[in-house]
Amino acid sequence: QRDHASRKFYMFDSFEGFQRYGKDKRLDSFLAADIFKAPLAAVKSALAMYGLLGPSVHFVQGFFENTVPAFGKPPRPISVLRMDGDLYSSTKVVLEHFYDSVVHEGGHVIVDDYGWRAQGHRRAFTKLCHHAVDEMRASRGITCPITRRFAVYGWERSSACG
């Protein structure tokens, strides 16, 4: 951020963990753990510790399903769309609202939870992140390879492969 003062960074998160969906009680119980909570004050403190908290960093608090559609289109194209939504609905809403309109050619999509399968819940009834990614890519004919680097998955947007 220090070298890119004109760029804006938007961080969408509930900062309070997951909302309960009620479709899969085992998964809801698992996701209720405090380990999944990242309080806003703690996030700001961590960014400040590394000199990354400044006027170009914007926090949008709430669940993606509510905040992303209300946010509208970002003012500039997105170079990096990094998602850490874990579940189907949160990943789907981010992809629907940001991928087609603002992730530009050569932009990167990083999906923290593409490989996540809710440990101990191998037969979860709730769709997870990878389902939303796979459905979106199939519906748009995206064949750019998904690669795994540094324990996260992603792809580069290219007109050559969708």
Side-chain angles (χ1 to χ4, degrees), residues 3-158:
D3 297 336
H4 304 287
S6 66
R7 292 188 180 181
K8 296 188 183 313
F9 298 85
Y10 293 92
M11 299 186 180
F12 291 78
D13 202 298
S14 70
F15 301 103
E16 60 188 53
F18 291 95
Q19 62 183 337
R20 306 301 166 257
Y21 291 96
K23 296 176 185 174
D24 185 337
K25 291 183 181 185
R26 293 181 309 153
L27 185 59
D28 279 352
S29 177
F30 175 73
L31 295 174
D34 287 342
I35 189 88
F36 295 112
K37 297 177 182 175
L40 181 56
V43 172
K44 286 182 175 182
S45 176
L47 289 172
M49 184 171 48
Y50 291 100
L52 299 173
L53 187 61
S56 63
V57 177
H58 306 277
F59 297 92
V60 183
Q61 187 169 6
F63 295 110
F64 294 169
E65 295 85 347
N66 300 322
T67 58
V68 169
F71 182 79
K73 184 178 175 181
R76 295 175 55 178
I78 294 175
S79 297
V80 176
L81 175 62
R82 183 177 183 130
M83 296 177 288
D84 184 10
D86 298 273
L87 299 177
Y88 177 85
S89 61
S90 51
T91 303
K92 182 179 179 179
V93 74
V94 171
L95 289 170
E96 285 177 347
H97 284 85
F98 294 148
Y99 187 78
D100 290 327
S101 63
V102 293
V103 176
H104 65 79
E105 176 84 11
H108 292 268
V109 178
I110 300 169
V111 190
D112 284 4
D113 302 303
Y114 184 78
W116 184 69
R117 301 296 190 265
Q119 296 150 336
H121 300 278
R122 293 165 53 119
R123 297 187 182 262
F125 299 112
T126 303
K127 286 183 174 182
L128 301 175
C129 167
H130 67 98
H131 295 111
V133 171
D134 293 346
E135 287 175 12
M136 185 280 289
R137 287 171 50 90
S139 73
R140 289 165 176 76
I142 297 170
T143 59
C144 302
I146 294 177
T147 59
R148 184 173 187 226
R149 295 183 188 155
F150 307 108
V152 295
Y153 296 84
W155 72 94
E156 180 179 347
R157 186 168 187 175
S158 168

